[in-house]
Amino acid sequence: DAGVIQSPRHEVTEMGQEVTLRCKPISGHNSLFWYRQTMMRGLELLIYFNNNVPIDDSGMPEDRFSAKMPNASFSTLKIQPSEPRDSAVYFCASRLDITSGNTIYFGEGSWLTVV
Amino acid sequence: SQQGEEDPQALSIQEGENATMNCSYKTSINNLQWYRQNSGRGLVHLILIRSNEREKHSGRLRVTLDTSKKSSSLLITASRAADTASYFCAPVQGAQKLVFGQGTRLTINP
């Protein structure tokens, strides 16, 4: 299996631009998580989906952030408009069964810099 | 869900020594998981210990769990340079979302 695949790996964008991060979870996994990591705030859970349905988006920082999961094999995290404080590494992770306590598998992250 | 608190925040030891990291949490759990993050990479699962287990081994890793003290420890024996990474614990309560703390930054000096 190819693991969790994220794109782009690196993105530099100007303040005010729209940013779209993409994630392909491991095939067959039914839970998907978006995390953000910064030096100051550590690893924050933004939102997670189960069977393509958003279960908890309490970690989404503000209305500029939105996430979708149109099908079991694809999810996006969008920031519009982007701001310099959004600069971070964004990780997507997936898991087979949300109720079993199974381990989650992380992608390699999308490194976002907003200038 | 709850977040684990790792201690110490940073640990620097010589290659070959043992490294011990601790994790504390606040409420009852179903299991507790440890993850490693190498610089610039995603987190990788290391080991899971269930609430009815007290100790678990995996290669050079030894994890203990004390539910009465709501704490866990991760021991890496005979450390190697490749063990340099950040280590995170994740206490799992309702087996839904995993929340991570700041982690322990481990540096193995040659």
Side-chain angles (χ1 to χ4, degrees), chain B residues 1-3 24-32 51 65-67 69-71 91-94:
Chain B
S1 64
Q2 63 178 311
Q3 175 178 313
S24 60
Y25 57 92
K26 291 185 167 57
T27 64
S28 62
I29 59 172
N30 293 336
N31 67 73
L32 187 141
S51 60
L65 180 64
D66 187 335
T67 52
K69 295 181 179 178
K70 294 185 172 53
S71 67
V92 181
Q93 189 177 26

Side-chain angles (χ1 to χ4, degrees), chain A residues 9 33 35 37 40-43 45 48 56 58 91 95 98-99 101-104 106-108 111, chain B residues 31 33 35 37 39-45 48 50 88 92 94-102:
Chain A
R9 285 300 313 277
F33 306 80
Y35 290 88
Q37 187 174 37
M40 290 297 292
R41 300 174 70 92
L43 192 62
L45 176 64
Y48 78 98
D56 186 340
S58 59
F91 289 102
R95 184 167 69 182
I98 197 170
T99 61
N102 283 347
T103 60
I104 61 174
F106 281 76
E108 293 293 0
W111 295 66
Chain B
N31 67 73
Q33 302 178 25
Y35 288 77
Q37 183 181 31
S39 181
R41 309 295 296 275
L43 276 69
V44 175
H45 175 257
L48 180 155
R50 301 192 187 283
F88 298 85
V92 181
Q96 294 196 15
K97 57 185 181 183
L98 260 65
V99 181
F100 296 92
Q102 295 283 359

Side-chain angles (χ1 to χ4, degrees), chain A residues 16-101:
Chain A
Q17 296 297 307
E18 178 179 293
V19 174
T20 299
L21 307 178
R22 298 172 178 80
C23 175
K24 177 177 168 56
I26 293 173
S27 178
H29 282 193
N30 59 358
S31 295
L32 184 139
F33 306 80
W34 282 101
Y35 290 88
R36 177 175 68 176
Q37 187 174 37
T38 61
M39 288 293 292
M40 290 297 292
R41 300 174 70 92
L43 192 62
E44 303 172 277
L45 176 64
L46 301 178
I47 185 171
Y48 78 98
F49 296 83
N50 179 243
N51 293 324
N52 312 338
V53 176
I55 303 300
D56 186 340
D57 65 354
S58 59
M60 295 286 264
E62 49 199 274
D63 292 344
R64 296 184 298 107
F65 286 69
S66 62
K68 294 182 180 179
M69 192 164 186
N71 57 62
S73 59
F74 184 66
S75 176
T76 59
L77 178 67
K78 186 174 293 187
I79 308 172
Q80 167 63 19
S82 58
E83 297 182 2
R85 60 192 168 119
D86 301 330
S87 298
V89 185
Y90 291 82
F91 289 102
C92 177
S94 71
R95 184 167 69 182
L96 175 60
D97 181 356
I98 197 170
T99 61
S100 71

Side-chain angles (χ1 to χ4, degrees), chain B residues 6-12 20-22 87 103-105:
Chain B
E6 296 89 352
D7 175 70
Q9 289 188 349
L11 179 62
S12 180
T20 300
M21 290 157 275
N22 302 297
Y87 292 81
T104 293
R105 294 188 307 280

